[in-house]
Amino acid sequence: MSETVEREVGRSRPRKEDARLLTGQTNWTDNISVGGLLHLAILRSPMAHARIDRVDVTPALERPGVVAAFSGSDLAEGMGSLPCAWPVTEDIVLPDHPPIAVDEVRYAGDPVAVVVARDRYAATDALEAIEVDYTPLPPVLDLEAALTENSPLVHSDKGTNRSYLWPLKTGEDFDAVRRRAEVTLKRRYVHQRLIANAMEPRGVVVTPLAASGEYTLYSSTQIPHILRIMLSVVTGVPEHKLRVIAPDVGGGFGSKLQVYGEEAIALTVARRLGRPVKWTESRSEGYLATHHGRGMIQDVEIAANRDGKLLGLKADLLVDMGAYLMLVTPGIPILGAFMYPGIYKMGSYELNVTGVFTTKTPTDAYRGAGRPEATYAIERIMDELAVELGLDPVELRRRNWIGHEEFPYTTIAGLTYDSGNYEAATEKALALFDYDKLRAEQADRNRRGDSVRLGIGVSTYTEMCGLAPSRVLRDLRYAAGGWEAASIRVLPTGKVEVVTGTSPHGQGHVTCWSQIAADVLGVPFEDVQVVHGDTRAAPQGMDTYGSRSLVVGGTAIHHAARKVVDKARKVAAHLLEASEQDLEFTDGVFSVKGSPDARKTLQELAFETFSSHDLPDGMEPTINAGHVTDPDNFSYPHGTHLCAIEVDTETGRSHIRSYVCVDDVGKVINPMIVEGQVHGGLAQGIAQALYEEAVYDDQGNLVSGTMADYLVPSAPDLPDFVTDRTETPSTTNPLGVKGVGEAGTIASTPAVVNAIVDALRPLGVTEVRMPCTPERVWRAIEEASA
């Protein structure tokens, strides 16, 4: 390769993945069809809480096309409890979680029976023939009421609806800080439940190989490696006999970071019948059965001096677990626990997390997973404190954030932030936003009593990404590690296969991993193929979640590629009759210093190794290499988001007029992909602020159970975004990257709500509960005026 070859890292390459996706040449789970395939349909409880008195599946067997039908008790022998991998305290209440209910249903949507038929329509139609007798039990819906002495119990054998209490106290005692503080504020914030709406619904296909007792399970999952281990434990299928494949996966947002009952049911039924089976959820079924996100009450107190200096922060959280603890349900608020102080310096911090069982769909990871909730709390109360002190909200933040010269900085929560420059990101954002001009316009509108008020929202955030350090996860009682694996195979023709343990579902891994490998190896971007999502082809991995793929998985690829170069250097030195120290490696070519004509390309060395005719004595005939990396620390992207919103005080309608964000995600591999990730994150964060909410009635029925009732915003509902970046490389990995998949979601929700409250504050409004629908905004105005 010539010396003028453009580096791949930092280049806006169109995604390699897109051609197949755009032309329909994809392999979604629901596309998979094999000979003799049967279809599953699942009967779900219409009640939030009830005892199962009788299930009779016999009438379903008489329906056309039906092959088999099973109740929960029919399948119980072949399945254990679904796993919870994060028991956050030693005394956590951890009830059994049967993949299909046997004696009691605990949320509307709990599986009760299964029909297996020759096509999905016959299976679905036969569900109505199943006879089930229920004895209703009282629902448990309100988090505070659930903890009272006389509350009905979700799990009567446990004697309580409290799953756990997880405390964190650092620095000076908060009670002492409160006594000497010149200003203290208390606020309550409520995070509604959210429902992930990935473009591809969940689906499972299981194909058995009866002769050897082997099974291949295809699932629309983010975690094929973890799923394989857990399903082996749940069903008893030996791990080495189970192959899990995540084919093309159409989005996840955390909802596919799960070991679902439907996966265990499909594997068990295929094992029982010796036939391949498929289950694909409908949209309305997914609203009931796919885990929800958020669901939290935050009581937040902040203490400061009159000059704005923060002294301490205290937060008490009530977190809705739903009916069961799923894979990482209890740990989601713990992920955010260390982020409540945000980017600010203070001397005292106290947090108490209480997990509460309710008769609702279980909650678990949703984009950001605990960190959006933390950012929302601190950024909302910082705005309230600014008003109390008569300070501009940006100025209050300036007085308290960690200065760029102070990194690395250990926060009051105990995390060590490796790098950052909050000043630079904020100044760039303010300039792009034209902050002073908008403030002047706002003041003018307020003076005139304009019916359409202008509000300005500020959100300065950081987050912990690269969920990885295994020893930290150990200390948090997480069952697994956080390492990641990669290997590089250089084929005899010089083409390259990158095998990664991360499993993409829309992030652009194939493109970015190709760019990383191409730069290190000096091969063309087009010559790199990425292998992923198959536990046989890529046997080691910890999968994709928590903005860890690039920070941990990309680093593993970098190290594996460096090992390939090191191996190839030995072969080149032998063939060129030079010492390894005398070789230079540039753009895929080894050359002898001072003798540029003495050269070998990596491709030539790959074939020489394949032939093995002339290798150094004792060297094995390969330059392939692998690497498993386990970082010592998280990475910490940050940024400043600014939102200008116009609120019609007569109708309550909020319209985002402009939105500016400047994010610092460290070194950027592919700017185009980063831009896309930011835009997608903004859409989800704004959706929580303005549109989305899972609503239950007083009997525990999900009344927002379809897209007709649950508002997922589309492009016309969102503004044009002005995005930009600063770049402070991470010091915790050789690529200098920090992660970007969740940044937009984390920062945008408080920016939007701060803007709405800022617009209405002259009218006496101090809080609007999310989502800030026109009705809620209008009612807040009416209540304030009354």
Side-chain angles (χ1 to χ4, degrees), residues 730-751:
S730 173
T731 61
T732 63
N733 64 78
L735 295 173
V737 296
K738 293 185 176 182
V740 69
E742 297 162 304
T745 304
I746 289 169
S748 56
T749 308

Side-chain angles (χ1 to χ4, degrees), residues 396-520:
L396 177 63
R397 288 164 169 83
R398 281 195 183 105
R399 294 185 185 188
N400 288 285
W401 64 36
I402 303 158
H404 69 274
E405 73 283 353
E406 297 179 86
F407 290 96
Y409 184 90
T410 300
T411 73
I412 188 64
L415 297 177
T416 299
Y417 296 175
D418 61 331
S419 67
N421 192 328
Y422 310 138
E423 305 97 306
T426 302
E427 290 309 312
K428 180 175 276 193
L430 292 171
L432 291 169
F433 193 64
D434 209 346
Y435 184 81
D436 292 338
K437 184 177 179 181
L438 283 168
R439 282 294 185 200
E441 179 186 343
Q442 178 189 44
D444 182 59
R445 286 195 187 196
N446 291 343
R447 280 193 300 270
R448 291 188 282 108
D450 199 328
S451 64
V452 178
R453 295 298 178 108
L454 177 64
I456 297 168
V458 180
S459 175
T460 51
Y461 79 99
T462 188
E463 58 159 327
M464 49 189 276
C465 284
L467 187 63
S470 295
R471 293 182 180 182
V472 174
L473 295 176
R474 172 202 64 195
D475 294 342
L476 294 175
R477 301 180 62 85
Y478 182 59
W483 51 265
E484 193 50 79
S487 60
I488 307 287
R489 300 194 291 245
V490 186
L491 306 179
T493 55
K495 308 304 181 185
V496 175
E497 290 179 334
V498 173
V499 182
T500 176
T502 65
S503 187
H505 43 282
Q507 293 90 340
H509 289 186
V510 172
T511 303
C512 291
W513 288 194
S514 296
Q515 290 178 273
I516 293 169
D519 269 3
V520 177

